[in-house]
Amino acid sequence: MREADLRGRRVLDVGCGTGRLARALAERDAAKVWGVDASPEMLAAARVPRGVRLKHARAEALPFRDGWFERVVFWLSAHLVDRAVAFAEARRVLVADGRIAVVTFDESHFTTHWLNRFFPSMERIDRARFPTREQLAGELPGAHFVRISQTARFTREEALERVHCGHISTFDLLDPDELRQGTARAERELPDQIESPVELLVAVTGTM
Ligand SMILES: C[S@@+](CC[C@H](N)C(=O)[O-])C[C@H]1O[C@@H](n2cnc3c(N)ncnc32)[C@H](O)[C@@H]1O
């Protein structure tokens, strides 16, 4: 995510979950990182190095003073927040030349997702809940967009664990029959190794 220019910066990770990004930014990019998340359970499970500060807070009411951060990152959390309010809050806590970086799924991601074949409604549900590039362009005027294509590789056991524990919140939105039938089908049909494209869309403000 070169465009976001995070190295050594004062960064706020909004919707930090278990601290995956906060950890990487602190360890790999020597950033000074704060994270907030609305879920006490996620924060309790978070593992971050000393120096990374995590707080229980919502994106829509950030407990920080104006102009404190150089970067605010929403990594796979922008679809869960009230974006008009959360982006206004992000701008408030940023310095004048600060940047907001939103990392979300590109629309193409939903077409090729490895779970579609077991849970046919997933694509429709996710398309409706994740922001499109056009929506983000309207919400973050002047944002620069980049697509990042990756490949996820995991074993049948790892895939089944993801299905059984409902690792993405879309599982909570599935019809119980579809969930039951899709899980049984995944148990029968998943191959030993799974490879699936991961198509990310990154929007960064203030790069010009
Ligand atoms: C899909 S997870 C992504 C977590 C992390 N960014 C990552 O990529 O591993 C989304 C996170 O956003 C958090 N979240 C949802 N609504 C939120 C809100 N209004 N304010 C702050 N965090 C929120 C959830 O609790 C969850 O931890």
Side-chain angles (χ1 to χ4, degrees), residues 13-21 36-40 42-43 57-60 74-82 86 130 167-169:
D13 177 7
V14 177
C16 62
T18 56
R20 186 167 69 130
L21 174 69
V36 293
D37 201 283
S39 159
M42 291 297 243
L43 291 169
R58 299 188 66 81
E60 298 83 356
F74 293 79
W75 189 288
L76 296 179
S77 59
H79 60 295
L80 297 168
V81 305
D82 178 336
F130 281 83
H167 78 298
I168 48 176
S169 50

Side-chain angles (χ1 to χ4, degrees), residues 109 112-115 150-154 194-199:
H109 180 80
T112 53
H113 200 281
W114 64 279
L115 286 166
Q150 301 172 334
T151 304
R153 294 185 178 80
F154 40 93
I194 293 101
E195 268 196 21
S196 187
V198 178
E199 303 292 345

Side-chain angles (χ1 to χ4, degrees), residues 118-137:
F118 308 114
F119 306 100
S121 305
M122 217 165 228
E123 178 175 354
R124 176 183 48 77
I125 293 171
D126 277 345
R127 279 184 184 279
R129 57 203 288 258
F130 281 83
T132 62
R133 181 185 181 122
E134 289 66 35
Q135 282 172 312
L136 287 175

